[in-house]
């Protein structure tokens, strides 16, 4: 790809000719506010918060969709640009509940951050406001479209990242709203509850149900880990408060998933605190499972294995391992089967 030479805020840059102005600015560490744009999604220029001045252009242009060209001169933070962004925010907040005191997203909300940066406490436009009912008749996602700014990131995440297209814009004009076909519930739609729409939503419109009320962004810290559920090895960020997991969020650097998760990785963390989890081995005695030490349990298993192998031959035994285990653990299981017991009855299953 050939390069072009452009100037942004006085900085001379050489960037690939297929870059947008936003990509060029970001490559030089120049921050331009965005709401609808995200590096994982195709740009659509929906929100207009990223307007910039470009020489020889009659009006301000959204830099997330505007392509660079040779000799281009861009200014990202002039009074005219800031005034236009204030106007966009004013319009967005004219139909927004300003509920930051109790909103789960406060502290992690791009709209809130921009209102703070541009000093907008409330909208100057009086008029109709929506009063959409909360939609949460499913186990995982709470949808509050009163906080939706129609950036369509969720729609694009569903289609472009998860490949499902369970949601899209409904209605027209002021009554435009994101929803499933015929505005039904998510669980009656093709939704797979991957949660990518939550991960991409820049406001509090989409929230993970189980995390609401469990802590704000500034009270948690992220611990990067590998999903325990299957062999894909997706990278996840555990959001931890007081040593307890309160949410799982996307880690965009994950080499095998690039931020995507399935329903288990995103929402299946409640087992960590489940009181029914086994914490000690159990041995059946007189028909009852009773707690035992690891030495007792392992001795019993070794005796039974040896006894069955001797009585019925090694092929009476088989070893099932799991994609949830590490490579080293799987190696040791097959070594136990082949090397110690003497059978090739070895298999594995991702669901074990
Ligand atoms: S979505 Fe953002 S701006 Fe709106 S109430 Fe919640 S924190 Fe505040
Ligand atoms: S949870 Fe996943 S599949 Fe369901 S609407 Fe959101 S992005 Fe689409
Ligand atoms: S629900 Fe969130 S991501 Fe979807 S359009 Fe509304 S603000 Fe954007
Ligand atoms: S970020 Fe460019 S138009 Fe929304």
């Amino acid at each position: 790809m050939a390069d072009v030479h452009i100037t942004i805020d006085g900085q001379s840059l050489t960037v690939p000719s297929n870059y947008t102005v936003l990509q060029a600015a970001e490559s030089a560490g120049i921050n331009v506010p965005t709401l609808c744009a995200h590096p994982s999604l195709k740009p659509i220029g929906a929100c207009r918060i990223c307007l910039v001045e470009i020489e020889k252009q009659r009006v301000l242009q959204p830099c997330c969709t505007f392509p660079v060209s040779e000799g281009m001169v861009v200014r990202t933070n002039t009074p005219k640009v800031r005034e236009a962004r204030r106007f966009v925010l004013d319009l967005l907040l004219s139909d927004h509940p300003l509920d930051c005191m109790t909103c789960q997203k406060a502290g992690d909300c791009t709209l809130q951050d921009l209102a703070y940066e541009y000093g907008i406490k409330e909208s100057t436009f009086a008029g109709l406001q929506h009063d959409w009912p909360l939609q949460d008749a499913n186990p995982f996602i709470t949808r509050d479209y009163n906080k939706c700014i129609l950036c369509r990131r969720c729609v694009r995440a569903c289609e472009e990242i998860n490949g499902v297209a369970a949601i899209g814009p409904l209605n027209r004009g002021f009554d435009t709203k994101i929803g499933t076909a015929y505005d039904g519930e998510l669980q009656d739609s093709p939704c797979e509850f991957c949660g990518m729409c939550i991960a991409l939503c820049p406001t509090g419109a989409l929230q993970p149900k189980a995390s609401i009320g469990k802590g704000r962004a500034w009270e948690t810290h992220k611990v990067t880990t590998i999903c325990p559920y299957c062999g894909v090895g997706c990278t996840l960020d555990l959001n931890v408060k007081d040593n307890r997991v309160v949410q799982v969020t996307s880690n965009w650097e994950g080499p095998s998933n690039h931020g995507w998760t399935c329903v288990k990785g995103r929402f299946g963390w409640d087992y960590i605190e489940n009181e029914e989890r086994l914490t000690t081995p159990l041995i059946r005695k007189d028909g009852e499972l009773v707690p035992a030490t690891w030495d007792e349990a392992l001795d019993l298993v070794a005796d039974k294995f040896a006894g069955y192998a001797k009585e019925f031959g090694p092929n009476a035994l088989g070893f099932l391992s799991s994609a949830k285990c590490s490579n080293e653990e799987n190696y040791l299981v097959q070594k136990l089967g082949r090397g110690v017991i003497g059978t090739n009855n070895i298999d594995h299953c991702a669901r074990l």
Side-chain angles (χ1 to χ4, degrees):
M1 185 63 61
D3 287 339
V4 296
H5 305 91
I6 66 170
T7 305
I8 304 183
D9 294 345
Q11 278 194 55
S12 299
L13 306 174
T14 303
V15 296
S17 59
N18 63 346
Y19 264 30
T20 62
V21 175
L22 177 63
Q23 286 174 311
E26 287 176 342
S27 73
I30 297 167
N31 178 44
V32 180
T34 57
L35 281 164
C36 67
H38 188 277
S40 300
L41 302 172
K42 290 181 199 141
I44 58 168
C47 74
R48 289 342 220 205
I49 200 71
C50 68
L51 292 171
V52 293
E53 274 187 75
I54 300 177
E55 279 188 9
K56 299 185 184 146
Q57 290 294 316
R58 198 167 47 84
V59 293
L60 300 179
Q61 297 292 344
C63 70
C64 67
T65 50
F66 207 89
V68 294
S69 58
E70 183 60 37
M72 178 181 268
V73 178
V74 181
R75 283 178 281 276
T76 71
N77 204 13
T78 62
K80 187 175 172 187
V81 163
R82 289 185 70 80
E83 189 49 38
R85 289 186 192 146
R86 284 193 103 259
F87 182 67
V88 170
L89 285 170
D90 202 347
L91 287 172
L92 286 174
L93 294 178
S94 69
D95 184 22
H96 196 86
L98 303 183
D99 193 20
C100 304
M101 290 79 78
T102 55
C103 183
Q104 179 68 25
K105 189 76 169 174
D108 185 29
C109 174
T110 314
L111 184 62
Q112 186 190 44
D113 290 346
L114 287 170
Y116 177 80
E117 183 186 341
Y118 284 80
I120 301 180
K121 200 170 167 187
E122 58 188 2
S123 177
T124 55
F125 297 104
L128 277 180
Q129 290 211 333
H130 283 112
D131 190 15
W132 304 111
L134 272 193
Q135 291 181 285
D136 65 350
N138 70 79
F140 305 115
I141 300 176
T142 296
R143 296 183 289 158
D144 180 357
Y145 289 118
N146 299 305
K147 294 175 183 167
C148 173
I149 57 169
L150 294 173
C151 68
R152 292 161 171 76
R153 274 201 199 181
C154 54
V155 176
R156 289 177 287 149
C158 194
E159 187 172 342
E160 294 173 24
I161 300 178
N162 203 37
V164 165
I167 49 176
L170 312 172
N171 310 329
R172 287 279 188 277
F174 183 66
D175 284 330
T176 305
K177 178 189 181 222
I178 306 299
T180 63
Y182 309 108
D183 204 12
E185 299 297 341
L186 280 175
Q187 72 266 35
D188 300 326
S189 77
C191 173
E192 295 174 342
F193 293 105
C194 67
M196 287 315 294
C197 48
I198 299 177
L200 272 294
C201 181
T203 75
L206 303 176
Q207 288 298 317
K209 217 168 166 179
S211 305
I212 293 173
K214 295 225 167 94
R216 289 302 213 358
W218 61 83
E219 298 175 301
T220 61
H221 66 277
K222 289 189 196 311
V223 178
T224 300
T225 188
I226 301 296
C227 179
Y229 278 108
C230 83
V232 173
C234 293
T235 305
L236 308 172
D237 280 343
L238 304 179
N239 293 228
V240 178
K241 181 189 172 196
D242 299 334
N243 221 20
R244 299 197 163 198
V245 175
V246 296
Q247 187 176 350
V248 166
T249 49
S250 287
N251 183 309
W252 300 101
E253 311 300 322
S256 65
N257 59 319
H258 304 287
W260 180 85
T261 68
C262 74
V263 61
K264 293 180 289 180
R266 174 85 54 189
F267 298 113
W269 45 267
D270 51 341
Y271 72 90
I272 299 169
E273 303 281 339
N274 195 308
E275 289 178 359
E276 291 181 7
R277 276 189 83 174
L278 295 180
T279 54
T280 178
L282 301 174
I283 291 179
R284 194 177 298 280
K285 287 183 182 160
D286 302 326
E288 293 286 317
L289 286 169
V290 293
T293 65
W294 278 106
D295 279 348
E296 287 172 327
L298 292 172
D299 283 349
L300 179 68
V301 171
D303 285 349
K304 295 271 184 193
F305 277 11
Y308 288 135
K310 190 170 173 195
E311 187 174 349
F312 303 109
N315 284 334
L317 292 166
F319 289 80
L320 287 173
S321 189
S322 168
K324 289 178 194 160
C325 300
S326 64
N327 286 343
E328 292 80 0
E329 288 163 337
N330 281 316
Y331 172 81
L332 289 173
V333 168
Q334 67 82 33
K335 193 76 178 165
L336 175 69
R338 292 195 171 101
V340 178
I341 302 293
T343 179
N344 285 323
N345 293 337
I346 316 282
D347 208 341
H348 95 292
C349 175
R351 293 177 189 275
L352 281 180

